[in-house]
């Protein structure tokens, strides 16, 4: 900086003030052109940020837990229908299935890819998560967002897994602030087959 001041004084004595100002402007801009900070357009987008569905499920459980909704479970197992009112503790235990299907941990998330599309018919933005490994337990997740608010409307989860000699296929869906469903089908190696449809409702019309 002292060197610049000496140069300015020299040019002024030589009656070369315009040249002095031009020289000073050039040096000043050169000093500030490289600040070590990345340009705004050069920042990389983190494509690994999946929709936080576990946070959504937690907020939904808390929503029900803080209110006095009557909670009903309607079950159809192998064609036989049953309906019962459940407690909040039972509701939380049933909702655990959705938490167990989470893909939010970095280790699991790395095995999935996200695609996004806009459905004009339902006025929804759908986030789809599918595994790169065809043998993954969680086979598909669809998150439907309202196109205007970006709030969750529904979440669908499809799973397939084996326990011992029994193969399970599972369809789970959650309707925001209304209800959720857990439908399972099992098949054993010896040929036994069973289906169980569960509808848990606290703020929705009854499922027929």
């Amino acid at each position: 900086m002292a060197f610049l001041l000496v140069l300015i004084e020299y040019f002024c004595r030589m009656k070369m003030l315009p040249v002095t100002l031009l020289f000073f402007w050039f040096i000043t801009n050169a000093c500030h052109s490289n600040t070590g900070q990345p340009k705004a357009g050069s920042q990389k987008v983190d494509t690994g940020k999946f929709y936080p569905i576990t946070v959504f499920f937690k907020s939904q459980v808390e929503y029900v837990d803080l209110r006095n909704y009557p909670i009903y479970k309607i079950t159809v197992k192998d064609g036989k229908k049953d309906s019962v009112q459940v407690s909040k503790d039972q509701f939380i235990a049933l909702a655990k299935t959705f938490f167990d299907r989470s893909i939010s941990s970095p280790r699991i998330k790395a095995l999935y890819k996200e695609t996004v599309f806009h459905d004009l018919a339902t006025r929804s933005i759908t986030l789809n998560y599918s595994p790169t490994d065809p043998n993954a337990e969680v086979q598909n997740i669809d998150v439907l967002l309202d196109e205007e608010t970006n709030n969750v409307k529904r979440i669908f989860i499809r799973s397939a897994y084996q326990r011992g000699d029994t193969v399970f296929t599972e369809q789970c869906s959650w309707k925001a602030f209304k209800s959720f469903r857990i439908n399972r089908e099992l098949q054993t190696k010896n040929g036994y087959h069973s289906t169980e449809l569960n509808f848990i409702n606290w703020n929705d019309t009854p499922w027929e």
Side-chain angles (χ1 to χ4, degrees):
M1 189 64 183
F3 175 71
L4 290 176
L5 293 176
V6 171
L7 285 177
I8 292 170
E9 183 180 358
Y10 170 77
F11 283 125
C12 288
R13 289 180 180 178
M14 297 297 292
K15 299 182 179 180
M16 298 172 63
L17 182 59
V19 176
T20 302
L21 296 176
L22 180 61
F23 180 79
F24 183 72
W25 176 87
F26 176 78
I27 295 298
T28 302
N29 279 276
C31 291
H32 290 281
S33 63
N34 184 15
T35 61
Q37 298 295 326
K39 295 180 180 179
S42 67
Q43 294 180 355
K44 295 182 179 180
V45 177
D46 182 4
T47 58
K49 292 184 178 179
F50 289 179
Y51 190 88
I53 61 173
T54 301
V55 175
F56 168 77
F57 292 140
K58 182 178 179 181
S59 69
Q60 291 287 293
V61 170
E62 291 175 348
Y63 173 84
V64 176
D65 191 39
L66 292 173
R67 289 162 177 81
N68 294 317
Y69 292 126
I71 308 169
Y72 297 96
K73 182 181 75 164
I74 301 173
T75 301
V76 179
K77 184 171 183 179
D78 298 330
K80 297 180 180 180
K81 184 177 179 180
D82 184 39
S83 179
V84 63
Q85 185 170 349
V86 299
S87 67
K88 288 183 179 180
D89 288 341
Q90 291 171 317
F91 163 79
I92 293 171
L94 289 164
K96 184 178 180 296
T97 297
F98 290 85
F99 292 91
D100 291 342
R101 303 295 175 264
S102 172
I103 61 170
S104 59
S105 72
R107 181 181 61 84
I108 298 177
K109 185 166 63 174
L111 305 176
Y112 287 79
K113 59 183 179 180
E114 178 188 74
T115 56
V116 182
F117 61 92
H118 189 186
D119 188 342
L120 296 176
T122 62
R123 300 175 62 86
S124 301
I125 297 171
T126 300
L127 310 178
N128 174 261
Y129 301 98
S130 57
T132 56
D133 179 1
N135 296 316
E137 184 168 306
V138 176
Q139 291 287 301
N140 190 79
I141 298 178
D142 284 322
V143 180
L144 275 65
L145 306 177
D146 184 275
E147 66 178 5
E148 295 182 356
T149 65
N150 280 334
N151 291 331
V152 174
K153 297 165 64 174
R154 292 176 183 265
I155 293 180
F156 300 91
I157 303 176
R158 179 166 55 87
S159 305
Y161 52 94
Q162 184 168 342
R163 299 289 184 267
D165 64 350
T166 304
V167 176
F168 294 85
T169 56
E170 184 179 84
Q171 299 277 356
C172 298
S173 65
W174 195 296
K175 186 177 180 181
F177 302 102
K178 298 289 186 179
S179 60
F180 66 78
R181 301 188 185 200
I182 303 172
N183 301 336
R184 293 189 182 95
E185 181 178 357
L186 65 87
Q187 180 79 45
T188 65
K189 289 183 178 180
N190 60 13
Y192 175 73
H193 177 265
S194 178
T195 60
E196 181 175 318
L197 314 179
N198 296 283
F199 175 60
I200 292 81
N201 160 41
W202 61 92
N203 196 21
D204 205 355
T205 56
W207 176 45
E208 299 295 341

